[in-house]
Amino acid sequence: MLIIPAIDLKNGKCVRLKQGDMEQETVFSENPVEVVKRWRDEGARRLHIVDLDGAIKGRPVNHEVISEMVLSCGDIPIQVGGGIRDEETIQGYLDIGVSLVILGTKAVTSPHFVSDACLEFPNHIIVGLDVREGKVATDGWSKLSRHDALDIAKGFESDGVNSIIFTDIGRDGMLSGVNVEATAKFASELAVPVIASGGVSSLNDIKSLCAVSSEGVAGVVVGRAIYEGKVSLAEAQSVANEYAEQP
């Protein structure tokens, strides 16, 4: 299972939010490129970058700094989300070396766009579903839709997405523990890999997710916990590797 450090960008800085609230930010670094180098040096096997300003504005805002981050990451795959609403933006990110592009709001509001993107950019498309009580939120979590998360995920699976990020937005940035039960239940209903996100607070959360990896949980995005030192990236990945080696 992949342990994927999150780097959220706001005004060109590395921040973490509480439950997606743009007014409740903690700045962890003024230099996101140095953050990339840190996680690279600590053994990250993939990075998760989100343009928070882009998610609100509906278009990339931190594209320049993301380009610099990609150049500094070496051969580590990078997945990017936030404000990706058209094929030109997807192509632009792939052109600078991004490996995977995350569709969020656009995927929910225009599902046909996911189908078209998967055809145009096969194996490069991830859908990120921000979920509260089984329903999907959009527009930087500011709007709760009527869409059932599992139903819409099955449609994206049929479209050929690379994977689906399942974020429990009631827990994201709160260090309150991962909703392992909901994540495992969601993943077990799908054939496409599911990446957990939201609420990681300790190594026990990593262990709990590893224990349900057979349900289809292929990775976990970790944010505040690694920035505040509650979880060591290297130790978390070591634990995940040990689970993978078990018969």
Side-chain angles (χ1 to χ4, degrees):
M1 190 174 78
L2 288 173
I3 311 299
I4 309 172
I7 306 176
D8 290 354
L9 301 174
K10 182 182 178 189
N11 298 324
K13 302 173 184 178
C14 173
V15 308
R16 294 301 295 168
L17 307 181
K18 288 187 176 180
Q19 295 184 306
D21 187 342
M22 293 289 277
E23 301 302 317
Q24 294 193 63
E25 70 176 73
T26 302
V27 177
F28 283 102
S29 176
E30 302 274 341
N31 188 340
V33 172
E34 291 303 315
V35 177
V36 166
K37 293 177 180 178
R38 173 187 174 183
W39 299 136
R40 179 197 66 194
D41 293 345
E42 290 192 23
R45 291 161 54 190
R46 186 187 295 186
L47 295 174
H48 175 89
I49 299 175
V50 176
D51 183 347
L52 294 173
D53 300 303
I56 298 300
K57 293 185 178 296
R59 57 176 175 76
V61 174
N62 291 285
H63 189 277
E64 186 174 337
V65 69
I66 291 174
S67 182
E68 295 174 11
M69 293 164 76
V70 172
L71 288 173
S72 68
C73 76
D75 59 357
I76 301 171
I78 286 185
Q79 57 192 46
V80 173
I84 301 171
R85 310 286 168 86
D86 55 52
E87 293 184 350
E88 289 76 15
T89 301
I90 296 173
Q91 186 66 64
Y93 275 128
L94 296 179
D95 286 345
I96 64 171
V98 170
S99 301
L100 297 157
V101 173
I102 305 164
L103 305 180
T105 294
K106 181 73 172 183
V108 178
T109 58
S110 304
H112 67 276
F113 179 67
V114 176
S115 178
D116 292 343
C118 287
L119 287 172
E120 184 73 17
F121 311 102
N123 209 37
H124 288 291
I125 304 299
I126 294 178
V127 167
L129 295 180
D130 300 324
V131 183
R132 179 182 287 123
E133 297 179 357
K135 302 298 181 183
V136 179
T138 61
D139 298 283
W141 304 358
S142 61
K143 299 177 182 177
L144 192 63
S145 76
R146 297 178 181 178
H147 295 285
D148 180 83
L150 185 57
D151 287 345
I152 199 169
K154 288 181 177 178
F156 296 141
E157 179 179 74
S158 298
D159 291 331
V161 296
N162 172 280
S163 51
I164 293 175
I165 300 174
F166 178 88
T167 302
D168 183 335
I169 62 176
R171 303 196 184 203
D172 190 78
M174 301 300 290
L175 294 172
S176 57
V178 176
N179 192 337
V180 176
E181 182 180 358
T183 304
K185 186 173 186 294
F186 180 83
S188 70
E189 297 289 337
L190 300 167
V192 68
V194 170
I195 298 171
S197 176
V200 171
S201 62
S202 70
L203 202 58
N204 285 334
D205 287 317
I206 302 299
K207 292 177 180 178
S208 295
L209 284 169
C210 286
V212 298
S213 60
S214 61
E215 300 289 351
V217 181
V220 56
V221 175
V222 186
R224 187 176 290 270
I226 54 174
Y227 288 98
E228 295 188 354
K230 298 181 185 300
V231 173
S232 157
L233 172 61
E235 188 176 6
Q237 189 60 66
S238 177
V239 166
N241 293 344
E242 288 175 9
Y243 269 86
E245 293 170 1
Q246 293 177 2

